[in-house]
Amino acid sequence: MIETVAKLVDTTLCIGCKACEVACQEWNDQEFTTGVFRNTYQTLPDLAPNFWNLIKFSEHDINGEQHWLMAKYQCMHCADAGCIKACPAPGAIVRRPNGIVDFVHENCIGCGYCITGCPFDVPRLSPKTRKVYKCTLCSDRVAAGLEPACIKTCPTNCLTFGSRNDLKFLAEKRAEELRKDGLANAGVYDGPGVGGTNVLYVLKHADRPQDYGLPKDPRIPWTVSLWKGPLKWLGNTVFFGGLLAALVHYIKVGPKEAHDEAEN
Amino acid sequence: MKQRIERFTSTERIAHWMVALSFLYSALTGLALWSHRMFWLAAVFGGGETVRGWHPIGGIVFALLLAFIFRNWAAQMKLDADDRRWLAVSHKYAMNQEEGVPAAGRFNAGQKMLFWLQSSSALLLFASGLVLWFPEWMPRGLRLAAVLLHPVAAVASIGGIIVHIYMTTLVVPGALRAMARGWVTPRWAASHHAKWYRDLDRR
């Protein structure tokens, strides 16, 4: 069996150098779009079709202490992926046997439903190509036995690549260490609501992931689940049941013939 | 020659068939995106990207034409007391029993209900469709509502049209010709829309 691969982001070791952002741009051969300085240590305000890996920077006052929180933000490669659920084009979003959620651009029709289906709001539609882009977990490098570019370049070992099971073990161990060191709320963030993500985080403040720019309890949006679940059944019943009912009605009841009253 | 009564004006007929064509295009390209199993419909209409590009435009054309029809017909589509009684015994109408089914005016209560169903679902399809057309400019909350409302309205409207097409092609002989060529026989009018026929007679 092919093991599920994952990235571990130990936010306590991130120094905000942004080398991973640069490595991502370089490896994926992305043009860099310059922005405006917004008085923050964050490079760009948001992910973009040509920018798949963002170190979110936020300042928070937690219990009277000033905190600089930094968290790598990219596709989380969910086990139960909202983008796949929402995608209408067969084969446009696939889950590789190693757990990587990959966009196959020749099958993408550019509807953007995946953006709405994603609980993390990650995919971005390119106005130029009318296709949607996001982190591939360097599926091309991983297929060749290499680690993703962001991980290769990380200077502090904040980022680790490996099998998800191993990394989950390491992450829990690291969180326990941190708790022993007095960070009572340290913990692991790995999206149980979406069947587990293949990007795992160690957070000092695991009780408040929103402060890192991570959703508190990521789940596939209920409107998407309702649409792709019960509504699809109801709709198919209406469409095919309607045709069948018409057939049965025609055979059993038949047409209304006009009668002759008018001529009488 | 058989006596002919004008049932639909040429304007009504042209508008009807234009709205029918744009509906059919929008519905079939929409169904391509409804389920992976129906994605073969996308190939029929030029491929997935073409469908993504043109489905919204087909939808806009449909909505504009329906708005025109709405303006022409809305006043005639109000339900009266007879219509309400008709709806209460619509099962009899469906089984071709005439006993106790009130006489219909120019449009029977079923047609009126279809009109209101199509108008309201079209409004919903139009509003949610605009949101889905340009996801990159729309706030997330609107998109989350639109991905649910668009297919809900589509199911309602396609369901209504299945009944409509079946009724007019197979159940009521002469109805299709009325919409195509515009005329019906007195016998037809008296049988299917007796109140309308009486009112025509009086004039």
Side-chain angles (χ1 to χ4, degrees):
Chain A
M1 210 191 100
I2 298 169
E3 263 192 304
T4 302
V5 296
K7 280 190 227 188
L8 171 59
V9 184
D10 183 349
T11 56
T12 61
L13 298 180
C14 178
I15 55 170
C17 69
K18 275 71 163 182
C20 57
E21 290 182 0
V22 177
C24 179
Q25 295 299 95
E26 287 279 321
W27 175 259
N28 294 299
D29 203 14
Q30 311 272 33
E31 202 183 313
F32 192 82
T33 313
T34 46
V36 180
F37 180 63
R38 286 170 195 243
N39 231 6
T40 166
Y41 287 105
Q42 193 170 307
T43 38
L44 288 179
D46 199 6
L47 296 170
N50 62 351
F51 187 67
W52 303 342
N53 171 34
L54 170 71
I55 302 298
K56 281 194 180 177
F57 170 82
S58 33
E59 287 177 271
H60 284 282
D61 195 329
I62 301 172
N63 305 327
E65 250 181 83
Q66 190 67 16
H67 288 271
W68 279 14
L69 302 180
M70 281 174 281
K72 191 176 183 302
Y73 206 70
Q74 79 279 280
C75 172
M76 303 290 280
H77 301 275
C78 312
D80 185 12
C83 56
I84 295 181
K85 189 159 220 172
C87 178
I93 310 178
V94 295
R95 200 179 148 76
R96 308 273 183 210
N98 62 5
I100 293 179
V101 176
D102 229 352
F103 284 11
V104 181
H105 289 110
E106 57 265 39
N107 294 333
C108 173
I109 64 169
C111 64
Y113 281 178
C114 53
I115 307 167
T116 308
C118 175
F120 297 94
D121 190 25
V122 164
R124 291 290 177 267
L125 187 63
S126 161
K128 241 186 269 167
T129 62
R130 301 300 303 171
K131 306 262 175 186
V132 184
Y133 299 88
K134 66 160 190 71
C135 157
T136 65
L137 220 152
C138 282
S139 53
D140 48 351
R141 289 176 59 92
V142 172
L146 300 169
E147 56 190 352
C150 54
I151 286 157
K152 175 88 178 161
T153 205
C154 178
T156 66
N157 280 339
C158 154
L159 302 178
T160 318
F161 176 73
S163 100
R164 190 181 192 279
N165 286 338
D166 292 354
L167 292 186
K168 174 88 175 170
F169 176 77
L170 278 178
E172 294 292 356
K173 219 170 94 179
R174 171 68 177 157
E176 204 183 302
E177 255 175 42
L178 292 169
R179 284 193 292 269
K180 263 188 219 150
D181 284 352
L183 293 161
N185 293 322
V188 177
Y189 179 93
D190 69 343
V194 288
T197 55
N198 292 341
V199 178
L200 314 169
Y201 291 82
V202 174
L203 304 177
K204 267 195 291 187
H205 309 285
D207 55 325
R208 43 207 306 170
Q210 21 358 334
D211 286 358
Y212 293 83
L214 299 166
K216 174 97 182 166
D217 180 22
R219 276 169 200 286
I220 296 181
W222 67 269
T223 56
V224 173
S225 303
L226 199 60
W227 160 39
K228 291 297 184 178
L231 180 60
K232 207 153 158 179
W233 279 103
L234 179 75
N236 288 332
T237 308
V238 169
F239 301 152
F240 298 106
L243 293 175
L244 188 69
L247 182 77
V248 170
H249 183 271
Y250 190 70
I251 289 168
K252 297 204 67 154
V253 182
K256 293 176 185 296
E257 301 299 346
H259 39 72
D260 288 334
E261 254 171 64
E263 275 125 340
N264 296 345
Chain B
M1 203 176 92
K2 262 194 277 188
Q3 209 190 329
R4 292 178 177 187
I5 300 175
E6 187 186 49
R7 172 126 176 92
F8 295 114
T9 66
S10 54
T11 310
E12 284 176 321
R13 282 178 279 144
I14 291 167
H16 174 271
W17 289 112
M18 282 170 69
V19 91
L21 274 179
S22 58
F23 179 90
L24 226 53
Y25 175 79
S26 305
L28 291 174
T29 50
L31 282 172
L33 309 180
W34 162 259
S35 155
H36 282 191
R37 289 204 178 88
M38 294 195 202
F39 197 72
W40 58 271
L41 277 167
V44 176
F45 290 95
E49 289 172 276
T50 307
V51 162
R52 195 267 183 254
W54 284 93
H55 170 83
I57 294 166
I60 293 286
V61 172
F62 165 72
L64 290 177
L65 289 165
L66 195 70
F68 175 77
I69 290 181
F70 184 88
R71 209 197 53 168
N72 286 349
W73 279 354
Q76 302 175 46
M77 294 292 179
K78 292 205 179 82
L79 293 162
D80 62 22
D82 278 347
D83 290 326
R84 269 180 273 275
R85 285 197 295 121
W86 190 99
L87 287 174
V89 295
S90 56
H91 56 279
K92 286 188 181 168
Y93 178 83
M95 298 312 287
N96 292 356
Q97 299 164 10
E98 287 165 26
E99 264 315 288
V101 178
R106 187 180 185 213
F107 296 104
N108 71 31
Q111 292 173 302
K112 290 180 180 178
M113 293 304 284
L114 180 84
F115 173 85
W116 294 113
L117 174 72
Q118 294 307 326
S119 303
S120 48
S121 54
L123 192 68
L124 210 56
L125 284 164
F126 177 75
S128 56
L130 279 185
V131 174
L132 297 175
W133 198 356
F134 304 106
E136 65 269 47
W137 299 343
M138 296 294 167
R140 188 167 173 79
L142 274 184
R143 280 186 281 123
L144 286 170
V147 294
L148 186 60
L149 292 178
H150 202 72
V152 163
V155 167
S157 114
I158 293 173
I161 287 301
I162 289 174
V163 176
H164 177 57
I165 293 177
Y166 168 59
M167 295 284 299
T168 51
T169 54
L170 292 172
V171 179
V172 184
L176 195 61
R177 187 183 55 198
M179 191 45 92
R181 303 289 305 128
W183 58 268
V184 293
T185 62
R187 189 167 161 247
W188 188 96
S191 302
H192 299 296
H193 296 272
K195 218 161 54 167
W196 174 61
Y197 181 64
R198 280 200 302 272
D199 290 352
L200 282 179
D201 247 9
R202 223 168 284 150
R203 253 178 271 149

